[in-house]
Amino acid sequence: MANANITKKELAESLKRLASGRLFEHVTVGDIVKECGVNRQTFYYHFSDKYELLDWIYYHETFLPLTADISFGNWDEKLYELLRIMRENKAFYMNTIKCSDNFFEEYLLKMLTTLFETAVEDLDARRQLTPEKKQLASKIFAHGLTGVVIEWATGGMKEDEKLIAENMKELVDNIERLSYCIYQFKNDIITETETLSTLPIPPEILPKRAE
């Protein structure tokens, strides 16, 4: 098992080097095994094709370490760490995200959806939302943030990653506070209406009976 993992990592490093110099679609399995110094049989023993190898890189080197202890309290720190890793390997990510059959986007979306599902569940302490509405809210947050990251990566990573993480954190926090205020406002209206309905009606505003 240890030797297998070493070989996988060596193949991964070979692909990362090659894909840092050209588009992923122009890298072949032959290029990878030549760069790594192994034969095709060794490659196909571990991976069915170059896409599965890329999938392995995304999962084991990018998402697995970041999702180990992610929570709604530290997700912005994890987002920053993700963007930092991507910038350190800028050419590789720019050359693979565009033509990787959406592997990267799917992993990111899955990670963020799970995160925001937990967040929405925690925020809905009074159980005001249906499961369908919770799922919809989670998807809106996850798709939005995924779109920001993908656009940043494919656009050349021009914006500072720390600033992006801080701005996204501030946006989500503001939405959280706004949601709470709306809930309190609606609750106050309901309470006020119920209170008024129990008050005695002054005689002067009662309709007069016909003589």
Side-chain angles (χ1 to χ4, degrees):
M1 180 62 70
N3 290 334
N5 286 332
I6 291 174
T7 303
K8 288 181 178 180
K9 289 180 180 179
E10 290 176 346
L11 289 168
E13 289 301 318
S14 296
L15 175 56
K16 287 165 67 176
R17 286 193 296 272
L18 291 167
S20 294
R22 53 186 134 152
L23 289 176
F24 175 71
E25 60 188 7
H26 297 154
V27 178
T28 67
V29 172
D31 295 330
I32 298 171
V33 296
K34 182 178 180 180
E35 175 73 16
C36 189
V38 299
N39 56 44
R40 284 177 173 270
Q41 184 177 356
T42 299
F43 178 92
Y44 288 117
Y45 177 79
H46 297 287
F47 302 104
S48 60
D49 53 32
K50 67 176 185 178
Y51 291 96
E52 187 176 351
L53 172 55
L54 180 61
D55 189 24
W56 188 91
I57 294 173
Y58 283 158
Y59 179 71
H60 288 274
E61 297 190 5
T62 306
F63 290 104
L64 190 59
L66 296 179
T67 56
D69 58 348
I70 193 171
S71 68
F72 194 61
N74 68 3
W75 70 268
D76 57 313
E77 298 173 8
K78 296 292 187 177
L79 173 61
Y80 166 67
E81 183 66 15
L82 170 65
L83 299 180
R84 187 189 63 78
I85 291 173
M86 292 173 67
R87 184 181 290 282
E88 287 182 353
N89 300 274
K90 181 177 178 179
F92 168 74
Y93 282 100
M94 288 186 64
N95 288 338
T96 57
I97 288 178
K98 294 179 180 179
C99 49
S100 62
D101 285 357
N102 295 324
F103 289 148
F104 184 88
E105 185 173 350
E106 288 174 3
Y107 271 130
L108 182 60
L109 181 59
K110 185 182 297 184
M111 179 185 78
L112 292 175
T113 299
T114 301
L115 171 66
F116 284 114
E117 282 176 351
T118 302
V120 171
E121 188 68 34
D122 291 343
L123 291 174
D124 187 34
R126 296 177 180 272
R127 300 295 182 265
Q128 299 294 312
L129 299 176
T130 64
E132 291 75 19
K133 288 183 178 180
K134 291 179 184 178
Q135 187 178 44
L136 177 60
S138 303
K139 285 184 176 181
I140 290 174
F141 279 118
H143 277 277
L145 188 48
T146 297
V148 169
V149 174
I150 297 298
E151 184 176 309
W152 173 79
T154 57
M157 305 185 186
K158 298 175 183 177
E159 297 84 2
D160 179 73
E161 56 268 27
K162 187 69 173 179
L163 184 60
I164 292 176
E166 290 175 350
N167 286 342
M168 294 306 301
K169 174 66 172 177
E170 181 180 0
L171 175 62
V172 172
D173 286 348
N174 287 340
I175 292 175
E176 177 186 348
R177 284 192 288 269
L178 177 61
S179 300
Y180 179 76
C181 289
I182 292 174
Y183 169 78
Q184 286 294 100
F185 178 72
K186 289 182 178 180
N187 191 55
D188 289 344
I189 290 179
I190 294 173
T191 302
E192 183 179 352
T193 302
E194 291 175 345
T195 301
L196 289 174
S197 67
T198 62
L199 293 176
I201 302 176
E204 60 270 19
I205 67 172
L206 286 172
K208 293 183 179 180
R209 301 178 63 178
E211 297 296 333

